[in-house]
């Protein structure tokens, strides 16, 4: 017999559960950032004298995959909005502190806005998709 999803009760997280999830996600996001990007502050000097970095492509892919896993887990637990906010704010603060202390041009603020937008959209999308599968499995 098919189940009408509109009649299924929607589980709303309690305030304590939401705060706990946000705290855990903030800590996990910080650890993910430090593991992949936080330790690398040295720019690479190319043979023509220009500089790149400090991050290598594999580091950025690693941090993005880690954030994706965190977003999916939180979304499956029923916290997609909390997930997107906690992950994006924590990632932006981590990146901003590192960038502001190593950039004299002031362009780190533009980069911080892009990190906030990218992590908000990415984490929000992954969490929403994971939450959709969570509801569909009931």
């Amino acid at each position: 017999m098919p189940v009408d999803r509109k009649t299924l009760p929607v589980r709303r997280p309690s305030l304590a559960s939401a705060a706990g999830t946000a705290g855990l996600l903030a800590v996990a996001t910080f650890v993910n950032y430090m593991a992949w990007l936080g330790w690398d502050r040295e720019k690479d000097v190319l043979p023509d004298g220009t500089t790149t970095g400090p991050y290598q492509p594999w580091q950025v892919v690693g941090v993005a995959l880690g954030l994706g896993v965190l977003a999916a887990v939180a979304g499956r637990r029923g916290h997609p909005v909390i997930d997107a906010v906690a992950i994006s704010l924590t990632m932006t603060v981590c990146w901003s502190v590192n960038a502001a202390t190593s950039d004299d041009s002031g362009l780190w603020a533009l980069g911080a806005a892009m990190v906030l937008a990218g992590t908000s959209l990415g984490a929000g999308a992954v969490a929403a998709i994971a939450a959709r599968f969570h509801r569909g499995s009931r």
Side-chain angles (χ1 to χ4, degrees):
M1 172 182 254
V3 176
D4 183 13
R5 288 188 184 157
K6 293 179 184 177
T7 61
L8 289 176
V10 176
R11 181 180 74 95
R12 300 279 183 222
S14 68
L15 184 58
S17 172
T21 298
L24 284 173
L25 283 171
V27 169
T29 300
F30 173 76
V31 169
N32 183 55
Y33 174 82
M34 292 306 291
W36 289 103
L37 303 178
W39 56 270
D40 191 358
R41 297 182 62 119
E42 189 173 320
K43 294 191 180 227
D44 299 323
V45 180
L46 299 178
D48 65 357
T50 59
T51 58
T52 64
Y55 311 129
Q56 299 298 318
W58 62 267
Q59 291 173 282
V60 177
V61 169
V63 79
L65 289 174
L67 295 175
V69 168
L70 291 174
V73 169
R76 292 272 302 156
R77 293 197 64 217
H79 303 285
V81 174
I82 295 165
D83 151 57
V85 171
I87 289 175
S88 60
L89 289 179
T90 304
M91 183 64 191
T92 302
V93 168
C94 289
W95 187 88
S96 296
V97 167
N98 195 6
T101 58
S102 63
D103 177 31
D104 296 332
S105 70
L107 287 176
W108 70 266
L110 178 61
M114 293 191 302
V115 168
L116 179 62
T119 54
S120 295
L121 290 172
V126 170
I129 291 167
R132 179 83 174 160
F133 282 109
H134 173 69
R135 280 189 226 112
S137 66
R138 289 185 182 196

